[in-house]
PDB file of all heavy atoms in Angstrom:
ATOM      1  N   PHE A   1      12.598 128.282 106.545  1.00  0.00           N
ATOM      2  CA  PHE A   1      13.774 128.866 107.195  1.00  0.00           C
ATOM      3  C   PHE A   1      13.448 130.235 107.785  1.00  0.00           C
ATOM      4  O   PHE A   1      13.778 130.524 108.941  1.00  0.00           O
ATOM      5  CB  PHE A   1      14.934 128.994 106.205  1.00  0.00           C
ATOM      6  CG  PHE A   1      15.972 129.987 106.657  1.00  0.00           C
ATOM      7  CD1 PHE A   1      16.797 129.700 107.731  1.00  0.00           C
ATOM      8  CD2 PHE A   1      16.086 131.225 106.034  1.00  0.00           C
ATOM      9  CE1 PHE A   1      17.730 130.632 108.184  1.00  0.00           C
ATOM     10  CE2 PHE A   1      17.020 132.155 106.467  1.00  0.00           C
ATOM     11  CZ  PHE A   1      17.840 131.857 107.549  1.00  0.00           C
ATOM     12  N   LEU A   2      12.809 131.092 107.009  1.00  0.00           N
ATOM     13  CA  LEU A   2      12.524 132.447 107.469  1.00  0.00           C
ATOM     14  C   LEU A   2      11.611 132.446 108.700  1.00  0.00           C
ATOM     15  O   LEU A   2      11.809 133.243 109.627  1.00  0.00           O
ATOM     16  CB  LEU A   2      11.889 133.261 106.343  1.00  0.00           C
ATOM     17  CG  LEU A   2      12.840 133.637 105.199  1.00  0.00           C
ATOM     18  CD1 LEU A   2      12.059 134.226 104.035  1.00  0.00           C
ATOM     19  CD2 LEU A   2      13.914 134.605 105.674  1.00  0.00           C
ATOM     20  N   LYS A   3      10.642 131.546 108.717  1.00  0.00           N
ATOM     21  CA  LYS A   3       9.748 131.443 109.879  1.00  0.00           C
ATOM     22  C   LYS A   3      10.531 131.020 111.116  1.00  0.00           C
ATOM     23  O   LYS A   3      10.380 131.600 112.201  1.00  0.00           O
ATOM     24  CB  LYS A   3       8.631 130.445 109.583  1.00  0.00           C
ATOM     25  CG  LYS A   3       7.653 130.223 110.731  1.00  0.00           C
ATOM     26  CD  LYS A   3       6.532 129.287 110.293  1.00  0.00           C
ATOM     27  CE  LYS A   3       5.548 129.005 111.437  1.00  0.00           C
ATOM     28  NZ  LYS A   3       6.175 128.153 112.476  1.00  0.00           N
ATOM     29  N   LYS A   4      11.391 130.013 110.970  1.00  0.00           N
ATOM     30  CA  LYS A   4      12.167 129.542 112.114  1.00  0.00           C
ATOM     31  C   LYS A   4      13.196 130.585 112.546  1.00  0.00           C
ATOM     32  O   LYS A   4      13.434 130.772 113.750  1.00  0.00           O
ATOM     33  CB  LYS A   4      12.851 128.217 111.764  1.00  0.00           C
ATOM     34  CG  LYS A   4      11.867 127.058 111.626  1.00  0.00           C
ATOM     35  CD  LYS A   4      12.570 125.770 111.264  1.00  0.00           C
ATOM     36  CE  LYS A   4      11.585 124.597 111.254  1.00  0.00           C
ATOM     37  NZ  LYS A   4      12.244 123.329 110.878  1.00  0.00           N
ATOM     38  N   TYR A   5      13.797 131.249 111.582  1.00  0.00           N
ATOM     39  CA  TYR A   5      14.771 132.299 111.888  1.00  0.00           C
ATOM     40  C   TYR A   5      14.126 133.387 112.744  1.00  0.00           C
ATOM     41  O   TYR A   5      14.720 133.858 113.721  1.00  0.00           O
ATOM     42  CB  TYR A   5      15.300 132.892 110.578  1.00  0.00           C
ATOM     43  CG  TYR A   5      16.404 133.912 110.746  1.00  0.00           C
ATOM     44  CD1 TYR A   5      17.729 133.506 110.867  1.00  0.00           C
ATOM     45  CD2 TYR A   5      16.118 135.270 110.763  1.00  0.00           C
ATOM     46  CE1 TYR A   5      18.747 134.445 111.013  1.00  0.00           C
ATOM     47  CE2 TYR A   5      17.121 136.211 110.915  1.00  0.00           C
ATOM     48  CZ  TYR A   5      18.431 135.790 111.033  1.00  0.00           C
ATOM     49  OH  TYR A   5      19.430 136.720 111.179  1.00  0.00           O
ATOM     50  N   GLU A   6      12.908 133.746 112.410  1.00  0.00           N
ATOM     51  CA  GLU A   6      12.191 134.766 113.176  1.00  0.00           C
ATOM     52  C   GLU A   6      11.810 134.249 114.558  1.00  0.00           C
ATOM     53  O   GLU A   6      11.975 134.953 115.568  1.00  0.00           O
ATOM     54  CB  GLU A   6      10.942 135.199 112.410  1.00  0.00           C
ATOM     55  CG  GLU A   6      10.114 136.261 113.117  1.00  0.00           C
ATOM     56  CD  GLU A   6       8.884 136.670 112.328  1.00  0.00           C
ATOM     57  OE1 GLU A   6       8.733 136.231 111.168  1.00  0.00           O
ATOM     58  OE2 GLU A   6       8.064 137.442 112.894  1.00  0.00           O
ATOM     59  N   ASN A   7      11.317 133.019 114.618  1.00  0.00           N
ATOM     60  CA  ASN A   7      10.839 132.477 115.893  1.00  0.00           C
ATOM     61  C   ASN A   7      11.967 132.111 116.853  1.00  0.00           C
ATOM     62  O   ASN A   7      11.729 131.936 118.058  1.00  0.00           O
ATOM     63  CB  ASN A   7       9.959 131.256 115.642  1.00  0.00           C
ATOM     64  CG  ASN A   7       8.632 131.617 115.008  1.00  0.00           C
ATOM     65  OD1 ASN A   7       8.204 132.770 115.048  1.00  0.00           O
ATOM     66  ND2 ASN A   7       7.976 130.640 114.391  1.00  0.00           N
ATOM     67  N   LEU A   8      13.179 131.973 116.323  1.00  0.00           N
ATOM     68  CA  LEU A   8      14.337 131.656 117.166  1.00  0.00           C
ATOM     69  C   LEU A   8      15.275 132.861 117.291  1.00  0.00           C
ATOM     70  O   LEU A   8      16.462 132.717 117.575  1.00  0.00           O
ATOM     71  CB  LEU A   8      15.106 130.459 116.582  1.00  0.00           C
ATOM     72  CG  LEU A   8      14.332 129.137 116.544  1.00  0.00           C
ATOM     73  CD1 LEU A   8      15.124 128.077 115.785  1.00  0.00           C
ATOM     74  CD2 LEU A   8      14.015 128.642 117.953  1.00  0.00           C
ATOM     75  N   ALA A   9      14.705 134.046 117.120  1.00  0.00           N
ATOM     76  CA  ALA A   9      15.516 135.264 117.107  1.00  0.00           C
ATOM     77  C   ALA A   9      16.334 135.447 118.378  1.00  0.00           C
ATOM     78  O   ALA A   9      17.457 135.975 118.334  1.00  0.00           O
ATOM     79  CB  ALA A   9      14.623 136.481 116.881  1.00  0.00           C
ATOM     80  N   ASP A  10      15.829 134.965 119.506  1.00  0.00           N
ATOM     81  CA  ASP A  10      16.532 135.169 120.778  1.00  0.00           C
ATOM     82  C   ASP A  10      17.809 134.344 120.890  1.00  0.00           C
ATOM     83  O   ASP A  10      18.673 134.643 121.724  1.00  0.00           O
ATOM     84  CB  ASP A  10      15.606 134.851 121.950  1.00  0.00           C
ATOM     85  CG  ASP A  10      15.030 133.447 121.879  1.00  0.00           C
ATOM     86  OD1 ASP A  10      14.479 133.079 120.824  1.00  0.00           O
ATOM     87  OD2 ASP A  10      15.135 132.700 122.880  1.00  0.00           O
ATOM     88  N   ILE A  11      17.945 133.297 120.057  1.00  0.00           N
ATOM     89  CA  ILE A  11      19.174 132.492 120.108  1.00  0.00           C
ATOM     90  C   ILE A  11      19.921 132.485 118.771  1.00  0.00           C
ATOM     91  O   ILE A  11      20.874 131.722 118.595  1.00  0.00           O
ATOM     92  CB  ILE A  11      18.884 131.034 120.547  1.00  0.00           C
ATOM     93  CG1 ILE A  11      17.861 130.365 119.616  1.00  0.00           C
ATOM     94  CG2 ILE A  11      18.408 130.990 121.992  1.00  0.00           C
ATOM     95  CD1 ILE A  11      17.697 128.869 119.878  1.00  0.00           C
ATOM     96  N   ASN A  12      19.507 133.347 117.850  1.00  0.00           N
ATOM     97  CA  ASN A  12      20.142 133.351 116.536  1.00  0.00           C
ATOM     98  C   ASN A  12      21.639 133.618 116.592  1.00  0.00           C
ATOM     99  O   ASN A  12      22.401 133.117 115.763  1.00  0.00           O
ATOM    100  CB  ASN A  12      19.480 134.386 115.611  1.00  0.00           C
ATOM    101  CG  ASN A  12      18.420 133.752 114.723  1.00  0.00           C
ATOM    102  OD1 ASN A  12      18.447 132.545 114.488  1.00  0.00           O
ATOM    103  ND2 ASN A  12      17.488 134.560 114.245  1.00  0.00           N
ATOM    104  N   ASP A  13      22.066 134.412 117.562  1.00  0.00           N
ATOM    105  CA  ASP A  13      23.493 134.712 117.679  1.00  0.00           C
ATOM    106  C   ASP A  13      24.305 133.476 118.052  1.00  0.00           C
ATOM    107  O   ASP A  13      25.533 133.473 117.889  1.00  0.00           O
ATOM    108  CB  ASP A  13      23.726 135.812 118.720  1.00  0.00           C
ATOM    109  CG  ASP A  13      23.251 137.175 118.240  1.00  0.00           C
ATOM    110  OD1 ASP A  13      23.010 137.320 117.024  1.00  0.00           O
ATOM    111  OD2 ASP A  13      23.132 138.092 119.085  1.00  0.00           O
ATOM    112  N   GLU A  14      23.626 132.439 118.546  1.00  0.00           N
ATOM    113  CA  GLU A  14      24.315 131.217 118.953  1.00  0.00           C
ATOM    114  C   GLU A  14      24.133 130.091 117.936  1.00  0.00           C
ATOM    115  O   GLU A  14      24.561 128.964 118.173  1.00  0.00           O
ATOM    116  CB  GLU A  14      23.785 130.766 120.321  1.00  0.00           C
ATOM    117  CG  GLU A  14      23.956 131.812 121.403  1.00  0.00           C
ATOM    118  CD  GLU A  14      23.200 131.453 122.670  1.00  0.00           C
ATOM    119  OE1 GLU A  14      22.897 130.260 122.869  1.00  0.00           O
ATOM    120  OE2 GLU A  14      22.906 132.371 123.451  1.00  0.00           O
ATOM    121  N   ILE A  15      23.485 130.401 116.808  1.00  0.00           N
ATOM    122  CA  ILE A  15      23.179 129.398 115.789  1.00  0.00           C
ATOM    123  C   ILE A  15      23.950 129.699 114.511  1.00  0.00           C
ATOM    124  O   ILE A  15      24.105 130.856 114.137  1.00  0.00           O
ATOM    125  CB  ILE A  15      21.666 129.379 115.480  1.00  0.00           C
ATOM    126  CG1 ILE A  15      20.870 128.868 116.688  1.00  0.00           C
ATOM    127  CG2 ILE A  15      21.359 128.517 114.252  1.00  0.00           C
ATOM    128  CD1 ILE A  15      19.374 128.982 116.520  1.00  0.00           C
ATOM    129  N   GLN A  16      24.397 128.660 113.839  1.00  0.00           N
ATOM    130  CA  GLN A  16      24.924 128.750 112.482  1.00  0.00           C
ATOM    131  C   GLN A  16      23.871 128.142 111.561  1.00  0.00           C
ATOM    132  O   GLN A  16      23.543 126.961 111.674  1.00  0.00           O
ATOM    133  CB  GLN A  16      26.245 127.995 112.355  1.00  0.00           C
ATOM    134  CG  GLN A  16      27.384 128.586 113.183  1.00  0.00           C
ATOM    135  CD  GLN A  16      27.908 129.872 112.589  1.00  0.00           C
ATOM    136  OE1 GLN A  16      28.494 129.879 111.505  1.00  0.00           O
ATOM    137  NE2 GLN A  16      27.710 130.974 113.295  1.00  0.00           N
ATOM    138  N   TRP A  17      23.349 128.959 110.657  1.00  0.00           N
ATOM    139  CA  TRP A  17      22.292 128.513 109.757  1.00  0.00           C
ATOM    140  C   TRP A  17      22.873 128.047 108.431  1.00  0.00           C
ATOM    141  O   TRP A  17      23.623 128.783 107.786  1.00  0.00           O
ATOM    142  CB  TRP A  17      21.297 129.646 109.503  1.00  0.00           C
ATOM    143  CG  TRP A  17      20.414 129.970 110.663  1.00  0.00           C
ATOM    144  CD1 TRP A  17      20.544 131.015 111.541  1.00  0.00           C
ATOM    145  CD2 TRP A  17      19.242 129.260 111.074  1.00  0.00           C
ATOM    146  NE1 TRP A  17      19.531 130.990 112.478  1.00  0.00           N
ATOM    147  CE2 TRP A  17      18.714 129.929 112.206  1.00  0.00           C
ATOM    148  CE3 TRP A  17      18.582 128.126 110.596  1.00  0.00           C
ATOM    149  CZ2 TRP A  17      17.559 129.494 112.863  1.00  0.00           C
ATOM    150  CZ3 TRP A  17      17.432 127.702 111.251  1.00  0.00           C
ATOM    151  CH2 TRP A  17      16.933 128.378 112.367  1.00  0.00           C
ATOM    152  N   HIS A  18      22.484 126.837 108.027  1.00  0.00           N
ATOM    153  CA  HIS A  18      22.933 126.245 106.769  1.00  0.00           C
ATOM    154  C   HIS A  18      21.721 126.078 105.860  1.00  0.00           C
ATOM    155  O   HIS A  18      20.723 125.458 106.258  1.00  0.00           O
ATOM    156  CB  HIS A  18      23.563 124.870 107.003  1.00  0.00           C
ATOM    157  CG  HIS A  18      24.769 124.894 107.884  1.00  0.00           C
ATOM    158  ND1 HIS A  18      26.035 124.631 107.410  1.00  0.00           N
ATOM    159  CD2 HIS A  18      24.908 125.131 109.219  1.00  0.00           C
ATOM    160  CE1 HIS A  18      26.901 124.709 108.413  1.00  0.00           C
ATOM    161  NE2 HIS A  18      26.232 125.014 109.518  1.00  0.00           N
ATOM    162  N   PHE A  19      21.807 126.604 104.637  1.00  0.00           N
ATOM    163  CA  PHE A  19      20.760 126.324 103.660  1.00  0.00           C
ATOM    164  C   PHE A  19      21.264 125.190 102.780  1.00  0.00           C
ATOM    165  O   PHE A  19      22.302 125.302 102.128  1.00  0.00           O
ATOM    166  CB  PHE A  19      20.403 127.547 102.811  1.00  0.00           C
ATOM    167  CG  PHE A  19      19.125 127.343 102.043  1.00  0.00           C
ATOM    168  CD1 PHE A  19      17.898 127.552 102.653  1.00  0.00           C
ATOM    169  CD2 PHE A  19      19.146 126.888 100.735  1.00  0.00           C
ATOM    170  CE1 PHE A  19      16.710 127.320 101.975  1.00  0.00           C
ATOM    171  CE2 PHE A  19      17.963 126.659 100.042  1.00  0.00           C
ATOM    172  CZ  PHE A  19      16.743 126.881 100.662  1.00  0.00           C
ATOM    173  N   ILE A  20      20.523 124.075 102.764  1.00  0.00           N
ATOM    174  CA  ILE A  20      21.028 122.852 102.139  1.00  0.00           C
ATOM    175  C   ILE A  20      20.218 122.408 100.928  1.00  0.00           C
ATOM    176  O   ILE A  20      20.568 121.410 100.289  1.00  0.00           O
ATOM    177  CB  ILE A  20      21.078 121.700 103.167  1.00  0.00           C
ATOM    178  CG1 ILE A  20      19.676 121.402 103.706  1.00  0.00           C
ATOM    179  CG2 ILE A  20      22.031 122.043 104.317  1.00  0.00           C
ATOM    180  CD1 ILE A  20      19.594 120.172 104.588  1.00  0.00           C
ATOM    181  N   GLY A  21      19.145 123.141 100.606  1.00  0.00           N
ATOM    182  CA  GLY A  21      18.292 122.720  99.496  1.00  0.00           C
ATOM    183  C   GLY A  21      18.555 123.511  98.233  1.00  0.00           C
ATOM    184  O   GLY A  21      19.350 124.452  98.209  1.00  0.00           O
ATOM    185  N   ASN A  22      17.867 123.112  97.174  1.00  0.00           N
ATOM    186  CA  ASN A  22      17.931 123.869  95.936  1.00  0.00           C
ATOM    187  C   ASN A  22      17.386 125.274  96.176  1.00  0.00           C
ATOM    188  O   ASN A  22      16.316 125.446  96.763  1.00  0.00           O
ATOM    189  CB  ASN A  22      17.115 123.160  94.850  1.00  0.00           C
ATOM    190  CG  ASN A  22      17.063 123.949  93.564  1.00  0.00           C
ATOM    191  OD1 ASN A  22      16.131 124.698  93.323  1.00  0.00           O
ATOM    192  ND2 ASN A  22      18.081 123.773  92.729  1.00  0.00           N
ATOM    193  N   LEU A  23      18.126 126.272  95.730  1.00  0.00           N
ATOM    194  CA  LEU A  23      17.723 127.655  95.944  1.00  0.00           C
ATOM    195  C   LEU A  23      17.401 128.303  94.600  1.00  0.00           C
ATOM    196  O   LEU A  23      18.275 128.435  93.740  1.00  0.00           O
ATOM    197  CB  LEU A  23      18.838 128.436  96.645  1.00  0.00           C
ATOM    198  CG  LEU A  23      18.547 129.903  96.983  1.00  0.00           C
ATOM    199  CD1 LEU A  23      17.330 130.022  97.890  1.00  0.00           C
ATOM    200  CD2 LEU A  23      19.770 130.542  97.646  1.00  0.00           C
ATOM    201  N   GLN A  24      16.150 128.670  94.430  1.00  0.00           N
ATOM    202  CA  GLN A  24      15.750 129.345  93.204  1.00  0.00           C
ATOM    203  C   GLN A  24      16.317 130.764  93.186  1.00  0.00           C
ATOM    204  O   GLN A  24      16.419 131.419  94.221  1.00  0.00           O
ATOM    205  CB  GLN A  24      14.234 129.389  93.093  1.00  0.00           C
ATOM    206  CG  GLN A  24      13.584 128.015  92.981  1.00  0.00           C
ATOM    207  CD  GLN A  24      12.065 128.098  92.847  1.00  0.00           C
ATOM    208  OE1 GLN A  24      11.530 129.098  92.402  1.00  0.00           O
ATOM    209  NE2 GLN A  24      11.394 127.038  93.257  1.00  0.00           N
ATOM    210  N   THR A  25      16.663 131.226  92.001  1.00  0.00           N
ATOM    211  CA  THR A  25      17.283 132.536  91.868  1.00  0.00           C
ATOM    212  C   THR A  25      16.415 133.627  92.480  1.00  0.00           C
ATOM    213  O   THR A  25      16.915 134.532  93.164  1.00  0.00           O
ATOM    214  CB  THR A  25      17.557 132.834  90.382  1.00  0.00           C
ATOM    215  OG1 THR A  25      18.346 131.765  89.829  1.00  0.00           O
ATOM    216  CG2 THR A  25      18.309 134.137  90.216  1.00  0.00           C
ATOM    217  N   ARG A  26      15.110 133.543  92.270  1.00  0.00           N
ATOM    218  CA  ARG A  26      14.217 134.585  92.766  1.00  0.00           C
ATOM    219  C   ARG A  26      14.095 134.592  94.287  1.00  0.00           C
ATOM    220  O   ARG A  26      13.591 135.567  94.876  1.00  0.00           O
ATOM    221  CB  ARG A  26      12.827 134.431  92.141  1.00  0.00           C
ATOM    222  CG  ARG A  26      12.128 133.130  92.492  1.00  0.00           C
ATOM    223  CD  ARG A  26      10.769 133.010  91.809  1.00  0.00           C
ATOM    224  NE  ARG A  26      10.133 131.723  92.039  1.00  0.00           N
ATOM    225  CZ  ARG A  26       9.447 131.418  93.118  1.00  0.00           C
ATOM    226  NH1 ARG A  26       9.308 132.313  94.085  1.00  0.00           N
ATOM    227  NH2 ARG A  26       8.890 130.232  93.244  1.00  0.00           N
ATOM    228  N   GLN A  27      14.560 133.539  94.947  1.00  0.00           N
ATOM    229  CA  GLN A  27      14.468 133.462  96.400  1.00  0.00           C
ATOM    230  C   GLN A  27      15.732 133.932  97.111  1.00  0.00           C
ATOM    231  O   GLN A  27      15.745 134.063  98.335  1.00  0.00           O
ATOM    232  CB  GLN A  27      14.167 132.021  96.819  1.00  0.00           C
ATOM    233  CG  GLN A  27      12.816 131.512  96.337  1.00  0.00           C
ATOM    234  CD  GLN A  27      12.637 130.023  96.579  1.00  0.00           C
ATOM    235  OE1 GLN A  27      13.591 129.253  96.505  1.00  0.00           O
ATOM    236  NE2 GLN A  27      11.411 129.613  96.884  1.00  0.00           N
ATOM    237  N   VAL A  28      16.780 134.191  96.337  1.00  0.00           N
ATOM    238  CA  VAL A  28      18.074 134.534  96.933  1.00  0.00           C
ATOM    239  C   VAL A  28      17.960 135.749  97.849  1.00  0.00           C
ATOM    240  O   VAL A  28      18.449 135.747  98.986  1.00  0.00           O
ATOM    241  CB  VAL A  28      19.125 134.784  95.833  1.00  0.00           C
ATOM    242  CG1 VAL A  28      20.393 135.419  96.425  1.00  0.00           C
ATOM    243  CG2 VAL A  28      19.479 133.486  95.130  1.00  0.00           C
ATOM    244  N   LYS A  29      17.319 136.794  97.375  1.00  0.00           N
ATOM    245  CA  LYS A  29      17.270 138.043  98.145  1.00  0.00           C
ATOM    246  C   LYS A  29      16.553 137.869  99.479  1.00  0.00           C
ATOM    247  O   LYS A  29      16.786 138.645 100.421  1.00  0.00           O
ATOM    248  CB  LYS A  29      16.607 139.139  97.317  1.00  0.00           C
ATOM    249  CG  LYS A  29      15.146 138.883  96.966  1.00  0.00           C
ATOM    250  CD  LYS A  29      14.588 140.008  96.097  1.00  0.00           C
ATOM    251  CE  LYS A  29      13.131 139.756  95.709  1.00  0.00           C
ATOM    252  NZ  LYS A  29      12.595 140.838  94.844  1.00  0.00           N
ATOM    253  N   LYS A  30      15.680 136.856  99.593  1.00  0.00           N
ATOM    254  CA  LYS A  30      14.919 136.660 100.817  1.00  0.00           C
ATOM    255  C   LYS A  30      15.776 136.125 101.963  1.00  0.00           C
ATOM    256  O   LYS A  30      15.511 136.427 103.127  1.00  0.00           O
ATOM    257  CB  LYS A  30      13.754 135.698 100.569  1.00  0.00           C
ATOM    258  CG  LYS A  30      12.729 136.184  99.568  1.00  0.00           C
ATOM    259  CD  LYS A  30      11.631 135.140  99.400  1.00  0.00           C
ATOM    260  CE  LYS A  30      10.579 135.579  98.396  1.00  0.00           C
ATOM    261  NZ  LYS A  30       9.508 134.564  98.218  1.00  0.00           N
ATOM    262  N   ILE A  31      16.778 135.302 101.642  1.00  0.00           N
ATOM    263  CA  ILE A  31      17.482 134.586 102.715  1.00  0.00           C
ATOM    264  C   ILE A  31      18.989 134.803 102.761  1.00  0.00           C
ATOM    265  O   ILE A  31      19.609 134.516 103.784  1.00  0.00           O
ATOM    266  CB  ILE A  31      17.225 133.066 102.620  1.00  0.00           C
ATOM    267  CG1 ILE A  31      17.961 132.456 101.421  1.00  0.00           C
ATOM    268  CG2 ILE A  31      15.735 132.755 102.569  1.00  0.00           C
ATOM    269  CD1 ILE A  31      18.062 130.944 101.477  1.00  0.00           C
ATOM    270  N   ILE A  32      19.579 135.291 101.692  1.00  0.00           N
ATOM    271  CA  ILE A  32      21.033 135.177 101.554  1.00  0.00           C
ATOM    272  C   ILE A  32      21.795 135.913 102.653  1.00  0.00           C
ATOM    273  O   ILE A  32      22.891 135.495 103.040  1.00  0.00           O
ATOM    274  CB  ILE A  32      21.493 135.649 100.153  1.00  0.00           C
ATOM    275  CG1 ILE A  32      22.888 135.092  99.833  1.00  0.00           C
ATOM    276  CG2 ILE A  32      21.460 137.177 100.042  1.00  0.00           C
ATOM    277  CD1 ILE A  32      22.958 133.594  99.758  1.00  0.00           C
ATOM    278  N   ASN A  33      21.226 136.972 103.191  1.00  0.00           N
ATOM    279  CA  ASN A  33      21.939 137.723 104.222  1.00  0.00           C
ATOM    280  C   ASN A  33      21.615 137.265 105.641  1.00  0.00           C
ATOM    281  O   ASN A  33      22.091 137.872 106.613  1.00  0.00           O
ATOM    282  CB  ASN A  33      21.663 139.224 104.052  1.00  0.00           C
ATOM    283  CG  ASN A  33      22.309 139.762 102.789  1.00  0.00           C
ATOM    284  OD1 ASN A  33      23.511 139.669 102.606  1.00  0.00           O
ATOM    285  ND2 ASN A  33      21.485 140.299 101.891  1.00  0.00           N
ATOM    286  N   ASP A  34      20.834 136.205 105.759  1.00  0.00           N
ATOM    287  CA  ASP A  34      20.530 135.640 107.074  1.00  0.00           C
ATOM    288  C   ASP A  34      21.144 134.265 107.291  1.00  0.00           C
ATOM    289  O   ASP A  34      21.077 133.739 108.411  1.00  0.00           O
ATOM    290  CB  ASP A  34      19.008 135.544 107.267  1.00  0.00           C
ATOM    291  CG  ASP A  34      18.352 136.907 107.365  1.00  0.00           C
ATOM    292  OD1 ASP A  34      18.987 137.842 107.899  1.00  0.00           O
ATOM    293  OD2 ASP A  34      17.209 137.054 106.886  1.00  0.00           O
ATOM    294  N   ILE A  35      21.702 133.662 106.256  1.00  0.00           N
ATOM    295  CA  ILE A  35      22.312 132.334 106.420  1.00  0.00           C
ATOM    296  C   ILE A  35      23.822 132.472 106.596  1.00  0.00           C
ATOM    297  O   ILE A  35      24.431 133.469 106.212  1.00  0.00           O
ATOM    298  CB  ILE A  35      22.000 131.418 105.228  1.00  0.00           C
ATOM    299  CG1 ILE A  35      22.583 131.969 103.919  1.00  0.00           C
ATOM    300  CG2 ILE A  35      20.497 131.188 105.120  1.00  0.00           C
ATOM    301  CD1 ILE A  35      22.433 131.026 102.734  1.00  0.00           C
ATOM    302  N   ASP A  36      24.411 131.434 107.183  1.00  0.00           N
ATOM    303  CA  ASP A  36      25.862 131.407 107.380  1.00  0.00           C
ATOM    304  C   ASP A  36      26.565 130.547 106.336  1.00  0.00           C
ATOM    305  O   ASP A  36      27.736 130.800 106.017  1.00  0.00           O
ATOM    306  CB  ASP A  36      26.180 130.874 108.778  1.00  0.00           C
ATOM    307  CG  ASP A  36      25.600 131.758 109.866  1.00  0.00           C
ATOM    308  OD1 ASP A  36      26.135 132.874 110.065  1.00  0.00           O
ATOM    309  OD2 ASP A  36      24.602 131.365 110.505  1.00  0.00           O
ATOM    310  N   TYR A  37      25.863 129.542 105.810  1.00  0.00           N
ATOM    311  CA  TYR A  37      26.438 128.642 104.813  1.00  0.00           C
ATOM    312  C   TYR A  37      25.385 128.287 103.768  1.00  0.00           C
ATOM    313  O   TYR A  37      24.223 128.049 104.108  1.00  0.00           O
ATOM    314  CB  TYR A  37      26.918 127.323 105.446  1.00  0.00           C
ATOM    315  CG  TYR A  37      28.041 127.445 106.438  1.00  0.00           C
ATOM    316  CD1 TYR A  37      27.775 127.686 107.791  1.00  0.00           C
ATOM    317  CD2 TYR A  37      29.376 127.292 106.039  1.00  0.00           C
ATOM    318  CE1 TYR A  37      28.806 127.788 108.714  1.00  0.00           C
ATOM    319  CE2 TYR A  37      30.409 127.386 106.958  1.00  0.00           C
ATOM    320  CZ  TYR A  37      30.120 127.637 108.290  1.00  0.00           C
ATOM    321  OH  TYR A  37      31.132 127.731 109.207  1.00  0.00           O
ATOM    322  N   LEU A  38      25.825 128.211 102.519  1.00  0.00           N
ATOM    323  CA  LEU A  38      24.997 127.676 101.437  1.00  0.00           C
ATOM    324  C   LEU A  38      25.680 126.424 100.908  1.00  0.00           C
ATOM    325  O   LEU A  38      26.823 126.486 100.445  1.00  0.00           O
ATOM    326  CB  LEU A  38      24.841 128.707 100.313  1.00  0.00           C
ATOM    327  CG  LEU A  38      24.105 128.210  99.062  1.00  0.00           C
ATOM    328  CD1 LEU A  38      22.627 127.979  99.369  1.00  0.00           C
ATOM    329  CD2 LEU A  38      24.263 129.193  97.913  1.00  0.00           C
ATOM    330  N   HIS A  39      24.981 125.287 100.988  1.00  0.00           N
ATOM    331  CA  HIS A  39      25.584 124.017 100.571  1.00  0.00           C
ATOM    332  C   HIS A  39      25.229 123.639  99.133  1.00  0.00           C
ATOM    333  O   HIS A  39      25.606 122.549  98.691  1.00  0.00           O
ATOM    334  CB  HIS A  39      25.119 122.888 101.492  1.00  0.00           C
ATOM    335  CG  HIS A  39      25.716 122.932 102.860  1.00  0.00           C
ATOM    336  ND1 HIS A  39      26.596 121.979 103.336  1.00  0.00           N
ATOM    337  CD2 HIS A  39      25.552 123.824 103.879  1.00  0.00           C
ATOM    338  CE1 HIS A  39      26.945 122.273 104.580  1.00  0.00           C
ATOM    339  NE2 HIS A  39      26.323 123.393 104.927  1.00  0.00           N
TER     340      HIS A  39
END
C-alpha cells in the first residue's frame, strides 16, 4: 500500500484508499493516517 500510495501521489486526492487485510498492531502507525477506510 505505501509503495502504491507514493507512486500514485499525483492522483491521491481523487482516490479513496481502503485497507482490507489483517492489520498488525505494530503496522498501524505506518498507514493509518493515509487510508480512508479500514475494513
Side-chain angles (χ1 to χ4, degrees):
F1 160 71
L2 289 170
K3 179 176 178 290
K4 290 179 175 179
Y5 185 85
E6 180 180 353
N7 290 342
L8 296 173
D10 56 309
I11 57 171
N12 264 338
D13 289 345
E14 302 169 22
I15 293 173
Q16 295 287 293
W17 288 101
H18 299 249
F19 193 82
I20 61 173
N22 176 265
L23 182 59
Q24 296 181 25
T25 305
R26 63 182 175 82
Q27 296 171 326
V28 168
K29 64 182 179 181
K30 297 180 180 180
I31 72 164
I32 200 63
N33 291 302
D34 292 327
I35 63 174
D36 299 288
Y37 296 88
L38 174 69
H39 288 247

